[in-house]
Amino acid sequence: MKFLRPKSKTLLLASAAMALAFNVQSLPAQEKPADHGDDASAAYQPSMTTLGQLQVEIPGRKPGDPVMTPSEYQNANTIYFERCAGCHGVLRKGATGKALTTDITRENGFEYLRDFITYGSPAGMPNWGTSGDLTEDEVDMMARYLLLDPAAPPEFGMPEMRASWKVIVAPADRPTKKMNDIDIDNLFSVTLRDAGQVALIDGASYEIKTIIDTGYAVHISRISASGRYLFVIGRDAKVVMVDLWMETPGPVAEIKVGTEARSIETSKFEGWEDKYAIAGAYWPPQYVIMDGDTLEPLKIESTRGMIYDEQTYHPEPRVASILASHFKPEFIVNVKETGKILLIDYSDVKNLAVTEIEAERFLHDGGLDSTGRYFLVAANARGKVAVVDTKEGVLTALLETGGQTPHPGRGANFVHPTYGPVWATSHLGDDTVALIGTDPEGHPDQAWTVVQQLYSMGGGSLFVKTHPTSAHLYVDAPLNPDAEISGSVAVFNIADMSQDEPEFVELPIVEWAGIAEGQPRVVQGEFNQQGNEVWFSVWNAADLESAIVVVDDKTLELKHVIKDPRLITPTGKFNVYNTRADVY
Ligand code: DHE
């Protein structure tokens, strides 16, 4: 079943949608002043839940400090890390939001802070009080908390990493050949976010082969170049390494690389396959290169330093996406707050050579073009995409996508009927999809420019997807406040893109899943290895039924629904072959 939906231009989202990224059940009552500018992109900010759980003490008191009990300070600290630190920073020195250090907060005073938290601001601060997200007492407590110095979370260096490091099955005790009959290249590692697990699901039979415990609020999976090892990272910065050759694939090593983290990758350059893994942390701001067989931590590098343009010091620049180059023995590490893209040469870890590329602030997610040579990464809060030539090690372009808050995931590569090879990104803040030319040789006039803007179902999109064999581009919108939109996927026919305003069809994925309870969101398409099926997660609240819906890419019809009580909050899906070979 499919139908057309009228095209809408820009659709800004209510702040309620933001909370849904992390808690799909809660839809706070809205009583917003009309001028608030908080949309989906403003609210799609990291929730530093692991940091919020740390036990903290009130830092040394100063004369005039507000009265606060230790338990109030602890509660306020938890709320700060879950809801505020994503924008205002762990140390309150500011990121996309303003700095909230005590020199500033004390100048403004208690009443100003209380009103600001209650009503929000047109610049993007949510109205925590009037939205019902925080009670009056909580707002009062947060205003007092901000008048006290922040409690700096602990560092996490080599002693802490080594203490957390476990080799569960030593390399010598692992199988010397594949011991199962699983078609590993067509296996999907599926994030079960709130369960802290991944499900390994067979791409042909849809059978759940096994469920593996991983880190808290598990985030993404990446695969070693050979396809043998699967690496999973949780938001608590726990990395779990799984051997897919074992009779039943299971963990062979684990480590914690910090307190908060989001990204993991493995070495892919010829001759260096499976040699190293790298993980990046939000806190402390650092990355670590690890042995690819055991996760032994080898080298930790801090990302603290100067912001690329103003050259002022930033104390906590988070590591966002990491990608392995196919052209050099290098990892491409994107440092959010300083706006630097680091090319880390792992051929000599002892004498580490790092090329530092000035790009743009707030780098987030991205992927390679179809040749694997160019890396395109969104500086999402700046509405831009930076393009790095991984062969030459230079910034090739920095362009505006024309939409609000690009969020490509790894993006989508296809051959446009008019403009040749392009890479696509959708946007969190509006319904546009930007198609960027990626062929400087064959289509020099179009290279690194937005050649076409498509209009999809609405704002709140997180991921686009296609496959080299597919004739379609899929665009989700899980953060859109309209249940019909967040429960569907838009599909553009690539051949139609020669028209000025190509239409799309909308697939009612939640309806196909047959889930009546809750307001599940459809998130992240992922193709099977052959490229004839695309899988979507139907992401419901943790205590409600979720599912994975498999769509036939040729007919755009429902092919299969995977349901199982163990499929709790499925979100990202990583097909082993497509992930290791960067097919997207
Ligand atoms: Fe993600 C990728 C950070 C919330 C699902 N996410 C990424 C990457 C980063 C990131 C830096 C790129 C990793 C890489 O390529 O190395 N994500 C963040 C956040 O900071 C944020 C906004 C808030 C947070 O507190 O974590 C966030 N992410 C989410 C979700 O709520 C999602 C939708 C559901 C979930 O499981 O958590 C989510 N993020 C994903 C997925 C990818 C991802 C599925 C990988 C996409 C791919 O195709 O590779």
Side-chain angles (χ1 to χ4, degrees):
M1 178 183 153
K2 52 192 179 177
F3 52 91
L4 281 175
R5 186 178 182 91
K7 170 167 68 65
S8 67
K9 297 276 175 186
T10 300
L11 201 158
L12 295 180
L13 302 169
S15 66
M18 297 323 299
L20 299 177
F22 316 107
N23 176 4
V24 285
Q25 302 128 296
S26 65
L27 258 176
Q30 288 299 293
E31 195 195 321
K32 287 160 58 68
D35 60 348
H36 282 192
D38 44 342
D39 60 12
S41 40
Y44 190 62
Q45 293 294 343
S47 175
M48 314 277 252
T49 36
T50 321
L51 279 174
Q53 283 160 13
L54 293 179
Q55 291 302 305
V56 289
E57 285 178 12
I58 302 180
R61 298 185 78 88
K62 291 192 204 132
D65 270 357
V67 177
M68 214 166 187
T69 65
S71 83
E72 275 186 313
Y73 189 83
Q74 180 70 47
N75 289 343
N77 197 64
T78 302
I79 292 177
Y80 180 80
F81 279 111
E82 286 177 356
R83 303 187 172 209
C84 319
C87 286
H88 297 286
V90 168
L91 304 171
R92 296 203 221 138
K93 300 245 167 120
T96 46
K98 293 204 163 90
L100 293 172
T101 41
T102 46
D103 54 327
I104 300 165
T105 57
R106 284 173 171 245
E107 177 78 27
N108 290 326
F110 170 81
E111 274 158 29
Y112 174 91
L113 293 170
R114 185 196 54 201
D115 292 350
F116 209 77
I117 300 168
T118 304
Y119 299 109
S121 84
M125 166 82 171
N127 51 328
W128 296 107
T130 53
S131 69
D133 278 318
L134 296 181
T135 64
E136 221 172 292
D137 285 349
E138 283 172 330
V139 171
D140 185 282
M141 177 175 79
M142 292 311 292
R144 282 179 287 134
Y145 168 81
L146 293 177
L147 292 167
L148 292 166
D149 282 326
E155 296 298 320
F156 206 92
M158 195 52 93
E160 291 81 10
M161 276 193 209
R162 289 196 87 86
S164 75
W165 174 48
K166 277 188 217 141
V167 177
I168 300 159
V169 183
D173 301 330
R174 293 180 201 159
T176 50
K177 58 180 177 34
K178 188 158 84 77
M179 302 301 286
N180 56 53
D181 59 3
I182 300 171
D183 176 5
I184 287 178
D185 263 347
N186 202 19
L187 198 64
F188 286 69
S189 174
V190 178
T191 297
L192 303 178
R193 191 188 192 279
D194 294 3
Q197 296 175 322
V198 290
L200 301 189
I201 305 184
D202 181 62
S205 66
Y206 313 121
E207 184 196 338
I208 299 180
K209 291 290 184 186
T210 185
I211 303 252
I212 296 167
D213 287 334
T214 58
Y216 170 82
V218 56
H219 191 217
I220 66 163
S221 296
R222 295 285 184 240
I223 320 280
S224 72
S226 73
R228 173 175 181 172
Y229 292 112
L230 169 74
F231 297 82
V232 183
I233 191 152
R235 283 180 171 73
D236 57 356
K238 181 171 165 183
V239 177
V240 175
M241 176 180 172
V242 173
D243 184 357
L244 298 176
W245 279 13
M246 283 159 54
E247 207 172 311
T248 305
V252 289
E254 63 177 52
I255 190 169
K256 247 171 92 68
V257 297
T259 320
E260 284 278 347
R262 299 293 183 274
S263 47
I264 177 92
E265 179 59 301
T266 70
S267 52
K268 288 188 178 162
F269 185 59
E270 212 185 323
W272 297 87
E273 295 93 341
D274 295 21
K275 179 107 176 91
Y276 293 121
I278 181 171
Y282 273 13
W283 185 270
Q286 61 193 25
Y287 60 86
V288 53
I289 299 174
M290 298 163 284
D291 182 273
D293 265 341
T294 63
L295 291 182
E296 179 179 9
L298 303 173
K299 182 91 167 191
I300 308 169
E301 286 289 324
S302 172
T303 51
R304 290 183 170 109
M306 297 296 176
I307 298 171
Y308 86 96
D309 52 354
E310 50 189 59
Q311 307 212 17
T312 53
Y313 181 72
H314 200 290
E316 48 174 299
R318 293 170 273 199
V319 176
S321 47
I322 305 184
L323 218 118
S325 168
H326 295 275
F327 281 83
K328 286 182 181 176
E330 284 181 346
F331 290 123
I332 305 157
V333 171
N334 296 283
V335 188
K336 206 182 262 283
E337 281 77 13
T338 51
K340 291 174 180 174
I341 301 174
L342 309 179
L343 307 180
I344 320 271
D345 181 344
Y346 54 70
S347 64
D348 184 356
V349 170
K350 280 264 171 251
N351 303 285
L352 201 67
V354 178
T355 304
E356 187 184 283
I357 295 179
E358 291 181 8
E360 181 55 286
R361 294 182 72 178
F362 310 118
L363 298 167
H364 191 71
D365 53 350
L368 296 169
D369 77 315
S370 58
T371 67
R373 172 169 172 176
Y374 296 97
F375 171 63
L376 296 98
V377 57
N380 57 11
R382 289 281 192 265
K384 290 185 185 165
V385 161
V387 185
V388 171
D389 180 347
T390 67
K391 194 170 167 194
E392 300 298 333
V394 293
L395 184 75
T396 298
L398 184 64
L399 63 131
E400 294 196 355
T401 61
Q404 190 180 331
T405 321
H407 192 284
R410 284 169 287 171
N413 288 296
F414 58 91
V415 180
H416 190 283
T418 314
Y419 304 113
V422 294
W423 179 90
T425 180
S426 57
H427 293 81
L428 260 163
D430 62 34
D431 58 355
T432 62
V433 179
L435 308 186
I436 297 168
T438 57
D439 182 21
E441 307 261 297
H443 297 79
D445 293 346
Q446 280 81 31
W448 323 125
T449 62
V450 176
V451 295
Q452 189 173 25
Q453 209 173 25
L454 310 174
Y455 297 97
S456 186
M457 299 181 294
S461 175
L462 291 178
F463 301 105
V464 286
K465 188 67 70 172
T466 187
H467 185 276
T469 65
S470 173
H472 300 122
L473 173 70
Y474 296 82
V475 184
D476 70 8
L479 297 188
N480 194 290
D482 178 332
E484 192 184 309
I485 293 177
S486 66
S488 303
V489 160
V491 190
F492 290 89
N493 195 336
I494 292 170
D496 292 347
M497 291 183 190
S498 52
Q499 300 163 13
D500 276 353
E501 293 199 359
E503 299 282 358
F504 58 86
V505 293
E506 196 174 315
L507 308 182
I509 303 289
V510 168
E511 196 184 306
W512 283 351
I515 292 177
E517 255 195 300
Q519 192 187 316
R521 280 147 205 287
V522 175
V523 67
Q524 204 241 12
E526 176 77 344
F527 272 85
N528 63 353
Q529 184 191 5
Q530 262 178 289
N532 61 352
E533 288 175 1
V534 56
W535 296 22
F536 292 97
S537 299
V538 177
W539 174 21
N540 212 343
D543 56 348
L544 297 178
E545 187 177 50
S546 288
I548 291 171
V549 166
V550 180
V551 175
D552 184 316
D553 176 58
K554 281 262 164 330
T555 62
L556 298 185
E557 277 164 9
L558 172 66
K559 194 157 179 190
H560 190 78
V561 178
I562 308 174
K563 278 192 188 171
D564 189 294
R566 294 170 296 171
L567 281 186
I568 297 165
T569 58
T571 54
K573 299 161 297 305
F574 304 89
N575 172 271
V576 166
Y577 180 79
N578 293 337
T579 307
R580 75 185 176 86
D582 285 298
V583 177
Y584 37 79

